[in-house]
Amino acid sequence: MVADKERGKSGDRRGFASMDANKQREIASKGGKAAHLKGTAHEFDSEEAREAGRKGGRAAHLKGTAHEFDSKEAREAGRKGGKAAHEKGTAHEFDSREAREAGRKGGESRGKGGSHAEHEKETPYSLRSGKSGQHDKGDSSNHTGQ
């Protein structure tokens, strides 16, 4: 019988592994709820959760199964996370010093890390004047002693 021979192969899915993903999730969810009711469920603190996330992300990248977000997906995920944190009351509220520092770091990570003035030298189109190339010699309307 072919069926008997095939059963012994490695990678054969029997029992829990043979169930569809939704059925597995349903059973696992019941187990998690029972552990919480019983008081035996592990509660992660924020540092443990961060470390677990780092490990999982590293493993997924090594396996090649990590999801690579494009910029649109990353923005949307950030918006959802921020909205959820505000609704839960767990969002971090930045003071003005923290906001300046975060903005400075974000600006550095977006390009070569140079200042705005250095970036403008490298850019053929000036956002301030709206002109291509170098400014006209007589055009000083957008400059303040530079």
Side-chain angles (χ1 to χ4, degrees):
M1 288 190 177
V2 176
D4 290 335
K5 288 180 184 176
E6 287 180 2
R7 250 185 260 158
K9 286 184 180 179
S10 70
D12 193 23
R13 293 168 52 105
R14 293 183 287 182
F16 191 75
S18 68
M19 295 178 193
D20 70 37
N22 288 331
K23 186 70 174 172
Q24 287 180 354
R25 258 191 297 282
E26 182 185 324
I27 293 170
S29 175
K30 287 179 182 176
K33 288 175 184 170
H36 278 280
L37 288 172
K38 193 175 166 187
T40 58
H42 178 75
E43 298 287 336
F44 283 91
D45 64 24
S46 59
E47 185 51 42
E48 284 178 308
R50 265 193 298 276
E51 184 58 28
R54 270 193 290 271
K55 281 180 164 180
R58 204 175 304 123
H61 279 281
L62 291 172
K63 278 176 61 178
T65 58
H67 177 75
E68 299 290 336
F69 282 91
D70 62 27
S71 59
K72 183 180 177 191
E73 287 175 313
R75 277 192 304 274
E76 184 59 26
R79 265 194 291 277
K80 283 182 177 179
K83 184 177 180 187
H86 280 281
E87 287 172 357
K88 277 178 65 176
T90 59
H92 177 75
E93 298 293 333
F94 284 91
D95 62 28
S96 59
R97 182 193 56 75
E98 288 175 313
R100 275 193 307 276
E101 182 66 13
R104 184 187 62 74
K105 284 182 178 178
E108 286 175 358
S109 70
R110 293 198 68 155
K112 297 179 181 177
S115 70
H116 179 70
E118 289 171 341
H119 179 68
E120 236 182 42
K121 288 179 200 169
E122 298 167 2
T123 307
Y125 181 82
S126 171
L127 296 176
R128 285 194 272 162
S129 70
K131 295 182 181 178
S132 182
Q134 296 295 317
H135 298 294
D136 292 324
K137 289 182 181 178
D139 180 16
S140 62
S141 61
N142 291 319
H143 297 279
T144 55
Q146 289 182 356

